[in-house]
Amino acid sequence: MTPDPTLPGRGPLPVLRFLGLVLLGAVIGGVAALFAAGFVRSVLWLNELLLISPRSRVMLPYPGLLVLATIAVPSLGGLIVGHLHSRIPERRPHTPADAIAAVQTRRGRLPARAGGITALSALISLGAGASVGQYGPLVHLGATLGSLGARLLHLGRSEDNITIACGVAAAIATAFNAPLAGIIFAHEVVLRHYALRAFAPIAAAAIVGHVIATQALAQGALFHVADTAVPRAWEFGLFVAIGGLGALVAGAYMHAILGVGRLASRLPLRAELRPALAGAMLGTLALWVPDILGMGQETLRFATIPGAFGGGELLLVLILKLAATALCLGMGFSGGVLSPALVIGTLFGALCGTLVASISGASQETFIFYAVCGMVAVTAPVIGAPLTSLLIVFELTGNYALTTAALASVTLASPIAAQLFGRSLFDIQLHGRGLDLSSGRDRALLMDTPVIDYMTQDCVTLSPDATLDEAITTLARERHSEAYLVDERGRYHGCVSLAELEAARQEAGLHRRTRGCVDPERPTLRLGSTLWEAMALLEEVTGEALAVVDEGVFRGVVYEVHIAHAYLHQSDALRREEHGHG
């Protein structure tokens, strides 16, 4: 049967384009996986070289040198990182939040230079022992590579969004050996929809990344789990309770990072020097508790072993790791929030398991369940990805019982955290920058679209001293129903409608001035106003347009019909993208 050319997405040409996009996704996945694997290995090499890893610290025979390195390495690393960030236009490292914003506002086009500097500063931060994560930088690096690929091939914004998600999926698949988690993370956190057109390229990227990580590079898993006992029925109630408490820990973690950031901005210290101060403070504290240095993978592994830490040690390391991460990220180190969240969550779960064992007297054969439940209960709210968190557990462990227990915790953790704090730390950060994703992508697009894109000066302007007869005659000749009163200096004095002018003429005659017919309650727009603000004002205004006024000076108008057309165009573009025709 011959394909109907009138139907969208049918015919040989769209099929070839789709296959090309899948192939591009696979290529981006391979490139992103190689970069991710190289990044991880470089961090581990720097940790050994700079005496950050536990193994290198134990093997060093000179205690005095170890003390010096513990303080000096994070301090000097922070100094380098601060100067690198001064070369980024925003003077801060880019994060997964920037990739999310690029996709949700359909801007795309992540800047390659800023992405490269961010990746380098994250490598130095992690190598120098800062308490930050590696997965955030890997996600942003993958997204930047995906955007660069789309830009080099001159693809459209919809394809750019997909290639960004491909890079993200490959980074997660490579870092965690978890291709399913990479696919879901790209959809759940970055795209926030499940378009069939995007699924195949993202899946190709994740599979290629996974193959490179496991086969070509023989990368090991984050931690290993032996055969586990089956939890008792009453323990599932505790797993749910861990989820509720974990949401509070996640909230404390997120707000500690944001709070230190606000405090840092008020310090009488140049921004590029703040990471060095944080590094010195971190190093000093690490002289007593070295577990807070770096990503904390060894701490995470030991926290899953019964008896490796006592209850007091777990609580101490948990609090100090949370504080150290907030200090490093809030003061300007470059890095992610996921790795520390995994460590903090695992410590929290292990603490809960230790307390349950000491109170009930039961054996600790199900200790790993508590550690994993705590891990997902803290991690899922921080990154806003409950499904991804569950799949990471399943793909890392291959244990269905562990995944079911984790599901019990996530069931309560994510909703509570969303109600109390927000969907994720990324969304909270974007909200602070003026982009609110809480009401969906439609609103985010409208909030990111400036009204000046639709502003025009094709309107009727009158002097405030014009008579009613002059105003009515001019409006009739120009076939408009509204006029804007602007004096000889360009100052805006208000808007008058033809109906108001006619009513005034009936009452006062033709020689009354138009300034007396102005509606003082009629709102106006600013040059910086968004399409969302314009739509909100239309609920209060009956008329043909809204005036745009900048510090009292009239700049033009935005017609109601143009606002409506813009909204319909944006909505249609989103629907086409999400249903696979975009």
Side-chain angles (χ1 to χ4, degrees):
M1 189 173 88
T2 303
D4 185 351
T6 64
L7 294 176
R10 303 290 181 87
L13 186 58
V15 171
L16 290 176
R17 287 177 177 171
F18 173 73
L19 293 177
L21 191 59
V22 174
L23 178 60
L24 177 60
V27 172
I28 290 172
V31 174
L34 290 173
F35 271 90
F39 184 95
V40 172
R41 292 196 171 188
S42 298
V43 169
L44 295 176
W45 176 75
L46 284 174
N47 286 168
E48 291 288 333
L49 179 67
L50 300 176
L51 304 177
I52 298 300
S53 69
R55 176 178 172 274
S56 65
R57 296 173 66 84
V58 168
M59 295 182 64
L60 186 71
Y62 308 107
L65 180 59
L66 183 61
V67 171
L68 178 62
T70 302
I71 298 176
V73 169
S75 303
L76 292 175
L79 191 62
I80 297 171
V81 165
H83 283 283
L84 282 174
H85 293 166
S86 67
R87 300 178 180 272
I88 299 176
E90 297 87 353
R91 302 184 71 83
R92 61 165 177 81
H94 286 197
T95 68
D98 295 281
I100 294 169
V103 171
Q104 293 304 305
T105 59
R106 303 190 84 238
R107 288 198 308 265
R109 308 303 193 244
L110 289 171
R113 183 173 182 272
I117 294 175
T118 294
L120 178 59
S121 69
L123 177 62
I124 295 171
S125 297
L126 287 158
S131 180
V132 295
Q134 66 176 353
Y135 302 116
L138 291 179
V139 164
H140 187 267
L141 179 60
T144 302
L145 291 171
S147 181
L148 179 61
R151 189 157 59 250
L152 291 175
L153 295 175
H154 304 288
L155 301 180
R157 295 301 172 93
S158 179
E159 287 80 9
D160 194 358
N161 289 347
I162 293 174
T163 56
I164 287 174
C166 288
V168 168
I172 293 293
T174 304
F176 284 103
N177 289 347
L180 293 178
I183 295 168
I184 296 302
F185 183 86
H187 284 88
E188 188 177 21
V189 176
V190 179
L191 289 181
R192 304 197 180 190
H193 63 76
Y194 290 86
L196 291 177
R197 183 167 176 263
F199 180 81
I202 292 172
I207 292 169
V208 170
H210 175 65
V211 170
I212 289 176
T214 56
Q215 303 298 322
L217 301 176
Q219 186 171 300
L222 184 64
F223 62 90
H224 299 278
V225 176
D227 292 337
T228 59
V230 178
R232 294 168 285 271
W234 57 268
E235 288 185 292
F236 279 90
L238 295 178
F239 300 154
V240 173
I242 288 174
L245 295 174
L248 301 181
V249 175
Y253 173 61
M254 293 187 286
H255 282 279
I257 294 172
L258 299 172
V260 172
R262 289 190 294 268
L263 178 63
S265 65
R266 295 195 291 267
L267 289 177
L269 186 67
R270 289 164 52 190
E272 56 265 32
L273 298 178
R274 292 172 193 160
L277 175 61
M281 297 171 66
L282 174 72
T284 303
L285 188 58
L287 292 175
W288 289 275
V289 188
D291 299 278
I292 64 176
L293 287 173
M295 292 178 289
Q297 287 187 342
E298 290 300 318
T299 304
L300 186 151
R301 292 189 180 104
F302 277 109
T304 61
I305 301 173
F309 289 109
E313 291 176 303
L314 287 168
L315 180 61
L316 176 64
V317 177
L318 188 159
I319 293 173
L320 292 182
K321 185 64 177 177
L322 190 154
T325 305
L327 174 68
C328 290
L329 291 175
M331 293 286 279
F333 270 107
S334 178
V337 297
L338 176 53
S339 298
L342 290 170
V343 176
I344 292 167
T346 304
L347 290 167
F348 167 70
L351 177 61
C352 292
T354 302
L355 291 175
V356 169
S358 63
I359 293 172
S360 65
S363 66
Q364 291 191 309
E365 58 184 4
T366 57
F367 178 83
I368 184 65
F369 285 85
Y370 292 89
V372 169
C373 285
M375 181 178 75
V376 297
V378 174
T379 301
V382 170
I383 64 174
L387 290 177
T388 300
S389 302
L390 291 174
L391 282 173
I392 287 174
V393 171
F394 183 70
E395 292 186 276
L396 282 179
T397 66
N399 191 306
Y400 186 75
L402 266 178
T403 308
T404 304
L407 175 61
S409 293
V410 167
T411 300
L412 202 56
S414 291
I416 288 179
Q419 291 296 322
L420 294 179
F421 310 112
R423 171 170 172 158
S424 70
L425 179 60
F426 307 136
D427 283 22
I428 297 172
Q429 290 172 330
L430 291 175
H431 188 273
R433 301 176 199 170
L435 180 59
D436 185 3
L437 298 178
S438 62
S439 298
R441 199 178 180 195
D442 291 13
R443 178 174 173 178
L445 273 173
L446 295 174
M447 291 179 68
D448 195 61
T449 305
V451 293
I452 57 173
D453 290 352
Y454 300 91
M455 187 180 73
T456 179
Q457 294 184 340
D458 182 18
C459 58
V460 176
T461 57
L462 297 171
S463 167
D465 295 321
T467 64
L468 296 181
D469 184 40
E470 293 170 338
I472 293 171
T473 301
T474 302
L475 283 172
R477 183 176 65 249
E478 299 292 336
R479 299 182 181 276
H480 279 273
S481 62
E482 292 179 345
Y484 305 90
L485 305 186
V486 183
D487 62 23
E488 64 278 1
R489 296 183 300 165
R491 310 292 294 182
Y492 178 70
H493 290 265
C495 172
V496 294
S497 68
L498 184 59
E500 291 168 341
L501 293 172
E502 288 285 4
R505 183 177 65 172
Q506 298 296 326
E507 297 176 1
L510 295 175
H511 298 290
R512 180 180 173 184
R513 303 299 176 185
T514 54
R515 68 169 70 245
C517 301
V518 170
D519 178 8
E521 303 297 326
R522 188 181 179 97
T524 60
L525 296 169
R526 300 168 287 103
L527 284 177
S529 295
T530 64
L531 207 56
W532 175 259
E533 294 175 65
M535 290 192 64
L537 289 180
L538 287 181
E539 297 180 0
E540 308 171 14
V541 176
T542 301
E544 65 178 18
L546 292 169
V548 180
V549 181
D550 179 33
E551 296 182 352
V553 177
F554 179 76
R555 299 297 185 182
V557 298
V558 181
Y559 284 100
E560 179 179 350
V561 65
H562 291 166
I563 296 173
H565 284 167
Y567 171 72
L568 293 174
H569 174 74
Q570 299 275 31
S571 298
D572 181 63
L574 283 182
R575 297 292 84 76
R576 289 177 62 82
E577 181 178 306
E578 293 178 10
H579 290 284
H581 307 309

